Amino acid sequence: MFFNSKKLKLKRENEARLRRINNFEVRYITTRDPKQYGESIIGKSCIINIIDNKFNICCNDNVIFTHPMETLQCSELMSQNGVILSYVDDKTGEDIEVIAYYKYHRK
């Protein structure tokens, strides 16, 4: 009974975090390689859009990242200059992390 309400609260907070960054401009997007402990840039000068509960990151009218919001976990960087988007790949079962670094936003 209490555990379900806690999970529901965490899910609502995660969705609110994702919706808060809708239409944010992004300097660049990277993906982490857990085997080599490095990051690879996959896009620059992008924008975040949420369309039909799908989280999209578009660069020059090309969608470089898309994922359903229900299974996407979002957490802020400590510097609050970006977010870490993590999910489990359906095909391989690996944990995938994509980092989006914002352009300058005054709070």
Side-chain angles (χ1 to χ4, degrees):
M1 180 171 136
F2 295 109
F3 297 111
N4 289 336
S5 63
K6 186 174 182 178
K7 287 181 184 178
L8 185 61
K9 180 183 176 188
L10 292 175
K11 187 175 181 179
R12 273 190 268 128
E13 288 174 354
N14 185 52
E15 184 175 343
R17 228 177 284 122
L18 287 168
R19 292 206 182 272
R20 184 185 64 80
I21 62 174
N22 189 22
N23 294 323
F24 270 30
E25 293 180 19
V26 176
R27 275 188 297 156
Y28 54 94
I29 312 284
T30 63
T31 184
R32 286 192 181 157
D33 185 10
K35 295 174 184 147
Q36 297 179 358
Y37 301 106
E39 291 187 13
S40 301
I41 295 176
I42 58 174
K44 293 183 179 182
S45 299
C46 305
I47 192 160
I48 296 173
N49 289 319
I50 297 175
I51 302 170
D52 297 330
N53 284 331
K54 284 212 176 235
F55 189 87
N56 301 314
I57 300 176
C58 304
C59 291
N60 300 328
D61 297 329
N62 295 326
V63 177
I64 60 166
F65 177 79
T66 185
H67 201 274
M69 287 180 49
E70 294 84 30
T71 58
L72 186 64
Q73 183 65 33
C74 177
S75 55
E76 288 274 342
L77 293 175
M78 287 181 71
S79 63
Q80 295 186 343
N81 289 337
V83 290
I84 300 172
L85 306 168
S86 56
Y87 63 96
V88 176
D89 191 10
D90 295 335
K91 297 174 185 168
T92 61
E94 293 181 357
D95 291 330
I96 308 292
E97 287 186 344
V98 175
I99 300 97
Y101 297 94
Y102 307 140
K103 284 190 177 179
Y104 180 70
H105 286 287
R106 189 171 290 236
K107 304 254 182 209

